[in-house]
Amino acid sequence: MTTKYNGKILDCIALALRPQTRQLTFEGTIRSSKTVTAIEAFFWRVYYSTAKRHLVASLDFETLNNNILDADGFGLLTKFKSYCSELKKDKIGAYYIEVNSGAYGVKKISLCAYGNKAKWKKVLGGSIECIFIDEANIADPQFVNECYSRQVSFERPFTIYTLNGDVPTASIYEHINCSRIVGACPVSIRAEIEKARRKEGFYYTHWKMQDNPIMTAEKLVAAYALYPAGSYYYTIKILGERGTPGVLIYIDYMDESRLIQKLDIQKYHSFIVSMDVGATKAQNSITLTGFLYDYRGAAFFDKSTFKQVGYAEKTRNLISYVQRCRNIGAKNIEAVIIDSAEQNYIEDLKAEFRRLNLPPVIGSYKATIKERIDMGCLLMSRGKLLFNDTEEGRDIFGAFKQASWAEGKIGKERKDENEPWNDIVDSGEYGLTRHMKALLRAANEVKL
């Protein structure tokens, strides 16, 4: 694919190639071209480097592939495929790609998932000159600090960060606010940065959707309609500014008049039965989730909760619930999803459900809680996640309405003190994440 350049993109790439540039931060909105620019800036910095080893890091390998390696044709392995090798793996170690820089030699770019501490500790050995951390605000602070320590032997180390706005107290800003601002920047962020002491060679640029050459007026209108104006997600995703969410996670998006409806189950194409298996004082919760054709929307139809019981009774309750769902019209139940932490129980259920000719049993997709929250906020803000106007449907709505951030971890982690709402929300999310990508793709007129 052909990159459309503008002055800002070219200036940032040029800034990255200056030998005295130590760090670049690209913070801003979705669809602003900041990540595509960062990929190109990082690639050429590596290309002309005299060092052999470099690093790209993201939350997990799926995110790394989507955002950096492929990136809709603008990634390291797509746009720069004539320079980059196919994905390789050390006999003992991590995945990497090689960059053939011609007269500048062959470079190795190690790939790292900072969401898994055991794995990133193995990757961060030896000296690394150029480091690219995608979504740096959600990276483990220890990982970020360790990255800096791997660059100390180089005369011209280079780090590049990309991120949406976050809470102003996020630890990553200790490494960002010391930067010199290049170009326009929101007043609120400028005030934060100007309070900090400058470091030589550290630069900050703020990105908005208008900086992306492919964002037409129609696409901008659609993007600005994704979240309610003034909400937390509108601030960080659409304005690209830093903001602090309220204690209640979904409160900005839960318009009862739009989301609670008398639902016709016959209009839904397929269904998932999902179960959160409670531990200690927690409850077990089972949810019936329906999906429209092409995943243009989803709905919570029904639920069942019950206190802790033995596995035999738990299984009987689950089987009974699946049969109940079929009786109310959920004919096409494609799977029964169980919390993936319960692997032994899942294996036992698989055999029993096969014997009874019931839908297949699988473990839940291991999306992070933050990814599940982002999905819920987007779907509700777009009116794509509905709740049945029944006692059980309203119970699910109420559970999501009670969901709150953990103390001291606002914007990062959901509170979990084994309260009943936790189990209901978890169960519902397990059903949704089965088709997370399809739901998000259909919900977005502008791809996130």
Side-chain angles (χ1 to χ4, degrees):
M1 299 182 71
T2 302
T3 302
K4 291 184 177 181
Y5 295 97
N6 57 27
K8 181 168 187 173
I9 293 172
L10 292 172
D11 286 346
C12 285
I13 294 171
L15 182 58
L17 294 179
R18 291 172 59 184
Q20 61 268 41
T21 298
R22 170 69 175 81
Q23 179 175 294
L24 273 181
T25 297
F26 294 169
E27 181 178 33
T29 73
I30 59 173
R31 297 300 286 168
S32 62
S33 75
K34 64 183 184 297
T35 303
V36 169
T37 305
I39 291 169
E40 186 150 351
F42 175 77
F43 172 80
W44 291 115
R45 181 74 182 228
V46 169
Y47 184 93
Y48 291 113
S49 169
T50 58
K52 297 297 182 185
R53 186 152 176 249
H54 311 274
L55 178 79
V56 171
S58 195
L59 174 65
D60 52 37
F61 284 108
E62 183 175 9
T63 306
L64 195 153
N65 181 63
N66 291 340
N67 291 359
I68 310 298
L69 301 183
D70 181 70
D72 294 330
F74 298 100
L76 291 175
L77 294 182
T78 47
K79 179 169 183 179
F80 301 104
K81 60 184 177 182
S82 60
Y83 299 98
C84 296
S85 70
E86 296 294 325
L87 203 61
K88 296 185 175 184
K89 191 175 192 300
D90 290 320
K91 289 183 179 179
I92 301 175
Y95 287 99
Y96 67 94
I97 57 178
E98 287 181 339
V99 175
N100 187 341
S101 303
Y104 296 94
V106 176
K107 319 295 168 58
K108 179 178 180 180
I109 301 177
S110 297
L111 307 177
C112 182
Y114 54 66
N116 186 320
K117 188 173 184 177
K119 289 186 177 179
W120 67 248
K121 276 182 167 285
K122 294 178 182 178
V123 177
L124 288 187
S127 297
I128 304 170
E129 187 184 57
C130 298
I131 297 176
F132 176 9
I133 304 180
D134 179 45
E135 298 183 299
N137 55 310
I138 62 173
D140 183 337
Q142 185 182 351
F143 169 78
V144 174
N145 289 329
E146 186 67 24
C147 283
Y148 283 115
S149 74
R150 295 295 152 191
Q151 298 175 309
V152 294
S153 62
F154 294 99
E155 291 183 7
R156 296 185 179 91
F158 177 69
T159 298
I160 190 164
Y161 293 134
T162 60
L163 67 158
N164 296 128
D166 205 332
V167 295
T169 55
S171 63
I172 192 64
Y173 290 129
E174 297 173 12
H175 305 291
I176 291 175
N177 287 348
C178 56
S179 303
R180 183 179 303 278
I181 299 170
V182 178
C185 178
V187 173
S188 59
I189 295 178
R190 185 177 292 276
E192 290 290 323
I193 291 178
E194 288 180 349
K195 288 189 294 186
R197 185 176 180 179
R198 301 281 78 72
K199 284 188 178 180
E200 195 64 33
F202 282 59
Y203 297 95
Y204 173 95
T205 62
H206 189 269
W207 295 76
K208 56 188 185 297
M209 282 181 274
Q210 289 84 349
D211 293 323
N212 187 340
I214 71 167
M215 290 297 286
T216 63
E218 292 77 15
K219 289 180 179 179
L220 288 169
V221 169
Y224 274 82
L226 284 175
Y227 301 101
S231 67
Y232 170 62
Y233 277 85
Y234 185 88
T235 300
I236 65 170
K237 300 286 189 182
I238 305 305
L239 300 182
E241 298 187 27
R242 302 171 188 179
T244 302
V247 175
L248 295 175
I249 297 172
Y250 299 102
I251 195 66
D252 289 329
Y253 314 100
M254 302 196 74
D255 182 342
E256 183 170 327
S257 65
R258 295 177 67 215
L259 301 182
I260 296 182
Q261 298 182 17
K262 283 287 186 184
L263 299 175
D264 181 359
I265 202 166
Q266 302 302 321
K267 291 182 179 179
Y268 285 76
H269 178 260
S270 62
F271 299 87
I272 291 288
V273 171
S274 51
M275 181 179 186
D276 179 55
V277 179
T280 60
K281 67 177 183 178
Q283 292 189 116
N284 299 282
S285 182
I286 314 174
T287 305
L288 174 65
T289 307
F291 301 90
L292 292 172
Y293 182 73
D294 284 345
Y295 304 102
R296 291 175 290 103
F300 292 130
F301 276 90
D302 190 69
K303 74 156 184 62
S304 175
T305 54
F306 53 95
K307 294 180 180 179
Q308 272 297 347
V309 293
Y311 279 107
E313 186 173 350
K314 202 187 309 275
T315 301
R316 286 194 294 271
N317 288 345
L318 179 58
I319 291 171
S320 175
Y321 186 79
V322 171
Q323 292 168 337
R324 165 180 153 186
C325 291
R326 285 177 164 175
N327 290 337
I328 64 173
K331 303 299 183 185
N332 182 25
I333 299 175
E334 57 180 287
V336 175
I337 294 179
I338 311 295
D339 180 356
S340 59
E342 297 287 331
Q343 199 56 47
N344 291 335
Y345 184 47
I346 290 170
E347 293 304 316
D348 292 340
L349 283 176
K350 284 181 179 179
E352 181 67 6
F353 273 55
R354 278 196 300 267
R355 187 182 69 82
L356 296 173
N357 196 30
L358 291 171
V361 175
I362 59 175
S364 61
Y365 172 62
K366 294 182 180 179
T368 65
I369 290 178
K370 182 66 165 56
E371 288 175 319
R372 286 151 51 180
I373 289 170
D374 288 352
M375 172 182 63
C377 288
L378 177 60
L379 293 178
M380 282 190 272
S381 70
R382 301 290 282 169
K384 301 294 186 181
L385 177 59
L386 303 180
F387 299 76
N388 203 10
D389 192 7
T390 62
E391 182 178 347
E392 301 293 354
R394 284 182 172 274
D395 276 354
I396 302 171
F397 184 86
F400 274 85
K401 202 167 186 178
Q402 291 181 69
S404 57
W405 297 109
E407 186 174 354
K409 296 184 178 179
I410 289 178
K412 301 292 184 185
E413 186 176 312
R414 191 167 62 206
K415 178 182 176 183
D416 189 351
E417 296 180 354
N418 291 323
E419 297 175 78
W421 65 259
N422 277 121
D423 309 306
I424 296 171
V425 169
D426 282 339
S427 174
E429 289 176 341
Y430 293 154
L432 290 175
T433 52
R434 170 66 173 173
H435 297 298
M436 173 184 276
K437 289 182 181 178
L439 286 167
L440 293 177
R441 186 166 53 247
N444 282 306
E445 293 177 43
V446 175
K447 186 176 179 182
L448 296 184

